[in-house]
Amino acid sequence: MCNAKASLLLIDDNEPNLAALRQRLVALLHPEEADLHTWVPTENDGPPAEAFEARVDENTALVITDYDLTTSVRGLFGLSIVGWCQKKSIPVGDFSRGNVTALPKEPNLFELRVPTDDEHDAAFIATMFRGFRAIRQGIEHSPALLTERRSLAAVLASLLGRPRLESQFAAYMSRLGAANSALLQRLRDFAGDEEPNDADKIRLLTYVLGHVLFNAVLKYPGPILSRKALCAYVATGPEEGPAIEPYFADARYLGPFSEGQSLFWKEEVDSILDRLGADLGEAQFESFADLNRHIMETVLGRQLLRHQCDRCGGVKGGFWCPFTLRPVCERSDCSVPSSSWIPTGAQLSRVEKDFYDEWAPLLGL
C-alpha cells in the first residue's frame, strides 16, 4: 500500500483564475495534506490524452477541471478529462465559469459538480479531497476489508462504524453498473482470472464508495439526514433548523464529506425523539411526522413554523423532496415514492406530486 502524500490536480485554460483557485485551496489545505498541481493545457503539450497521463499517477486523489478548455487547446473539453479520470477510477469534479448553463446542475453518480463562485469553490474541493482521502485511509487501515469477501455495502457500513446498516446502504447501490460503463468493465476485470493487487482494489473501492456516499446516501435522505431533511422529519421547514439542531447534537454524522454541513444519523434521531417524547403517554397521531412535530413543539414550548405547503397548511411532513427542496408528506395528493428518480434506500425521500406529474410524462417515466 502506498503511503505517499496524495495529490490534487487543477486544470483550467485561464491561468489567472487557476492561480487564484490554487491560492484559495492553499489557505484551506495544510501542506502536509496534499500536493497541489496545476495544468494550463496548451498545444505545445502534444496529444492531450498523453499530456494528461503524464500528470496523474497512483497518488492522484482528485482532479478538478474547467468544462471548456478550447481557449488553449482546440477541441479539448473537460468532458474528456472526466472520461479519462473515470476510466482510472480517479474522482473528478468539473465546473463552467464562462457559460454556467454548459453543465447541468446535477452531476451523474460518478461525477462531482464544483461551485463556480469564489466563496464556495475551494471549500467544496477541500471537502471532496478530505472525504475521499478518509475513505481510502479507512480501507488501508482495515486490511480485512480487502481479504474478506464482503459486499460494497458491507464495506461502506463498516467504514462508517454502522455495520447493522448494510442492507440500507445496499439499496443505494442497486444500479451501479448502469451508472458508469467504465466502472462495470473494471468490475468485470476484477472478476476475471487475473487477481487485482491491493492498490487497485483500494482505488476502486475508494472511488465507488466515495461517490455513492456523497452523491446518493448524503443527497437522498435515508439512514443519514441533512439539516433540511431533519426539519422535514419533524414536519417543519428549514427555517427552524437553528432551533431544532441543538437537540440532536448526539446524532451528528461526522464521517467523510460532513465538513461544512450538518448531518444526522436517523437511528440516533429516532432514539432522541423517543427520549424527548417519553412522557406523552398514549396520545394517537395520524403519522410519525405528526408525532415528531408534537414532540418538538412540546420541548420548545411553542408551535413550530409552518412550511410552504397549501395542501396541509404547512403542518405535515416526514419526507424531503430533493427536487423541489421542500418537506412533503405521504398523502397521495402530496408526494409519490418514485423508485426511478430516488435510490431505493432513501426511505425519507419522496417526489412532490405536482412536480412528478409535470415531468414524469416528458421523461417517459
Side-chain angles (χ1 to χ4, degrees), residues 280-357:
L280 291 181
E282 299 299 322
Q284 297 295 313
F285 296 88
E286 185 177 352
S287 72
F288 71 86
D290 294 340
L291 170 60
N292 293 346
R293 181 181 176 98
H294 180 71
I295 291 172
M296 292 311 304
E297 288 182 336
T298 301
V299 171
L300 292 171
R302 63 171 176 83
Q303 289 189 339
L304 289 170
L305 295 175
R306 299 186 174 209
H307 57 86
Q308 300 298 314
C309 178
D310 54 13
R311 294 177 293 265
C312 67
V315 297
K316 288 189 171 291
F319 302 89
W320 179 253
C321 176
F323 303 100
T324 62
L325 304 181
R326 288 164 31 130
V328 292
C329 71
E330 55 193 347
R331 283 174 30 171
S332 60
D333 65 337
C334 184
S335 68
V336 296
S338 174
S339 60
S340 60
W341 290 22
I342 293 173
T344 307
Q347 298 178 351
L348 292 182
S349 303
R350 290 171 69 102
V351 183
E352 192 162 0
K353 189 174 188 303
D354 292 345
F355 181 86
Y356 182 83
D357 289 344

Side-chain angles (χ1 to χ4, degrees), residues 50-286:
E50 295 179 11
F52 171 77
E53 287 278 351
R55 288 168 171 79
V56 296
D57 56 30
E58 62 179 10
N59 297 317
T60 305
L62 180 64
V63 172
I64 302 296
T65 182
D66 187 10
Y67 172 73
D68 187 354
L69 302 168
T70 57
T71 300
S72 55
V73 178
R74 185 173 55 188
L76 179 59
F77 286 90
L79 186 61
S80 297
I81 306 291
V82 170
W84 297 334
C85 287
Q86 290 178 341
K87 287 181 180 179
K88 291 178 169 293
S89 298
I90 299 174
V92 57
D94 50 4
F95 61 89
S96 178
R97 284 198 185 94
N99 182 1
V100 294
T101 62
L103 287 171
K105 292 182 180 180
E106 296 298 326
N108 64 41
L109 181 59
F110 292 97
E111 188 178 0
L112 306 170
R113 187 72 73 240
V114 182
T116 56
D117 59 293
D118 293 351
E119 182 180 356
H120 298 102
D121 56 0
F124 177 88
I125 294 169
T127 296
M128 293 303 100
F129 176 84
R130 288 171 175 149
F132 280 100
R133 182 190 60 183
I135 291 174
R136 176 170 184 139
Q137 290 176 340
I139 297 171
E140 290 177 338
H141 295 160
S142 302
L145 296 178
L146 299 177
T147 58
E148 298 178 1
R149 288 191 173 275
R150 301 192 189 190
S151 68
L152 289 172
V155 174
L156 179 59
S158 177
L159 288 173
L160 298 182
R162 304 276 169 149
R164 60 188 172 277
L165 298 183
E166 176 186 349
S167 61
Q168 294 188 44
F169 291 132
Y172 282 89
M173 303 183 187
S174 59
R175 297 192 293 266
L176 285 183
N180 185 329
S181 59
L183 168 65
L184 186 59
Q185 183 57 53
R186 291 211 67 190
L187 291 174
R188 285 173 177 163
D189 293 342
F190 275 22
D193 296 332
E194 185 176 345
E195 179 71 14
N197 59 39
D198 284 352
D200 287 337
K201 289 181 181 178
I202 291 171
R203 178 174 288 280
L204 184 60
L205 282 174
T206 300
Y207 180 81
V208 173
L209 298 180
H211 283 96
V212 168
L213 179 58
F214 182 74
N215 279 336
V217 177
L218 298 185
K219 178 179 176 182
Y220 297 98
I224 300 174
L225 309 179
S226 65
R227 182 165 71 173
K228 292 179 179 178
L230 175 64
C231 289
Y233 195 53
V234 299
T236 190
E239 299 82 6
E240 288 282 21
I244 292 173
E245 188 174 337
Y247 291 94
F248 299 96
D250 291 339
R252 280 189 175 276
Y253 164 83
L254 300 174
F257 309 113
S258 62
E259 187 177 353
Q261 56 180 326
S262 295
L263 298 163
F264 307 87
W265 288 105
K266 177 185 176 295
E267 59 180 359
E268 300 297 338
V269 168
D270 286 338
S271 296
I272 292 171
L273 286 170
D274 288 344
R275 185 166 66 250
L276 293 175
D279 297 329
L280 291 181
E282 299 299 322
Q284 297 295 313
F285 296 88
E286 185 177 352

Side-chain angles (χ1 to χ4, degrees), residues 19-37:
L21 174 58
R22 188 183 189 283
Q23 282 303 112
R24 290 193 293 275
L25 274 170
V26 167
L28 295 176
L29 291 173
H30 191 275
E32 295 302 315
E33 283 190 85
D35 285 327
L36 292 179
H37 303 299

